[in-house]
Amino acid sequence: MLRKSLLALGLAAGVALTAQTAAAGNQLAVAIGGYDTVSYHSGTPAQGEARFNHFWNGAVWYFSSEENRDAFKADPASYAPAYDGYCSWAASQGYKAPGDPTVWQVVDGTLYVQVHPRAQTLWQEDIPMYITAGDENWPRIHPF
């Protein structure tokens, strides 16, 4: 009897662990740290709110207003950051690094995010060259 109870307890624990793992694996990524990508284009980045959201390109995007969400829904490519929000400097160098949504710049209508202020300083030394290099490197490094 004790053996059956221990076996049942072990099975129950295994099921519970499996259920927790499955639930954790089903969570969606929140784009650019939850910042409102449309707000960057007005020069004042704002933290988005979960109630104003839109799913696009494999992530949930948060917005600070219904108007910004609707603008994004109408033309996401115009507002989404270059390189899926990864660091533009890193992309120009041929690798991926996470973007910091507080280190950014809009150039010719495109949002570029950097990994840290030093990367942004380097990137700003020759923005056109680094954009060209990032654009050339991105298809090769993107899926990894």
Side-chain angles (χ1 to χ4, degrees), residues 28-109:
L28 295 171
V30 175
I32 59 173
Y35 276 78
D36 176 347
T37 190
V38 174
S39 67
Y40 286 91
H41 295 268
S42 66
T44 308
Q47 188 69 41
E49 297 180 32
R51 66 186 173 133
F52 304 121
N53 71 75
H54 180 65
F55 181 78
W56 181 75
N57 199 26
V60 176
W61 298 74
Y62 290 167
F63 302 92
S64 58
S65 68
E66 189 174 346
E67 294 79 19
N68 282 6
R69 183 201 56 209
D70 293 348
F72 181 84
K73 284 172 71 172
D75 191 6
S78 291
Y79 295 106
Y83 317 119
D84 290 342
Y86 284 93
C87 176
S88 304
W89 164 255
S92 76
Q93 302 305 298
Y95 65 94
K96 278 184 171 181
D100 178 342
T102 66
V103 185
W104 61 277
Q105 185 170 356
V106 174
V107 177
D108 295 331

Side-chain angles (χ1 to χ4, degrees), residues 100-137:
D100 178 342
T102 66
V103 185
W104 61 277
Q105 185 170 356
V106 174
V107 177
D108 295 331
T110 300
L111 172 61
Y112 294 92
V113 182
Q114 308 302 332
V115 67
H116 49 63
R118 176 70 178 134
Q120 186 172 40
T121 298
L122 293 169
W123 186 74
Q124 289 174 336
E125 290 176 359
D126 193 344
I127 292 172
M129 179 184 73
Y130 293 128
I131 289 173
T132 298
D135 290 350
E136 290 173 2
N137 290 335

